[in-house]
Amino acid sequence: MSDWKVRIDEAKNRLYLTLDGQLSVAEAEAAADEVIAKSGRLEPGFDEVNDMRTFKTTDEAALEHIERGKRGIVENGVAAVCRVVSESATGQMQFDRAGEGAEEYPVAKADSVEEAEKLLDSRRSG
């Protein structure tokens, strides 16, 4: 079983992406499309919390869409990303490798969404 969810908080200028399980190619494509569309509604300089605690290793074709999503947030002006780390070390490494060259933004890692939000908030105020 897999699932994904994308939401934005316009007041915080923040995108939230949750990836759960092993995404199919179609799911990865739909998630990337929604990430790009919703990040385009935020002001340049937005940040992202990516909750991937339960993300599992996926198909190489699905990773192409993950890479496209990473490029899309760069084009829409992402300033920083904080990833809530995966239970699957392999899934985490696979996600990190997808689109490595596209990540022109700082990436931090956290153990919870709350910790990720605090890290991104402190970056803005710091």
Side-chain angles (χ1 to χ4, degrees):
M1 180 83 188
S2 62
D3 195 19
W4 56 272
K5 180 171 53 172
V6 181
R7 69 179 178 88
I8 57 174
D9 182 331
E10 291 181 9
K12 288 186 176 184
N13 202 33
R14 186 167 290 160
L15 176 82
Y16 291 85
L17 170 62
T18 302
L19 300 173
D20 180 25
Q22 183 178 19
L23 299 181
S24 69
V25 175
E27 289 168 326
E29 179 178 20
D33 289 345
E34 190 166 345
V35 162
I36 293 166
K38 286 193 173 172
S39 66
R41 293 174 33 198
L42 295 168
E43 294 295 320
F46 71 91
D47 49 40
E48 176 185 334
V49 173
N50 184 347
D51 184 354
M52 43 189 308
R53 287 175 283 191
T54 57
F55 178 72
K56 306 261 187 279
T57 306
T58 191
D59 185 279
E60 286 296 319
L63 287 175
E64 292 175 17
H65 293 292
I66 290 171
E67 180 177 347
R68 184 172 57 84
K70 288 180 177 183
R71 283 193 313 267
I73 63 171
V74 167
E75 290 168 9
N76 286 332
V78 69
V81 172
C82 190
R83 294 190 185 127
V84 182
V85 291
S86 175
E87 294 172 356
S88 165
T90 306
Q92 179 68 50
M93 289 185 305
Q94 187 184 43
F95 188 92
D96 288 348
R97 278 196 317 268
E100 273 182 304
E103 292 182 320
E104 301 169 1
Y105 45 83
V107 177
K109 295 191 178 166
D111 293 325
S112 68
V113 170
E114 295 77 19
E115 181 185 350
E117 289 178 317
K118 286 179 186 173
L119 285 169
L120 291 170
D121 290 344
S122 68
R123 183 186 166 278
R124 287 185 178 178
S125 63

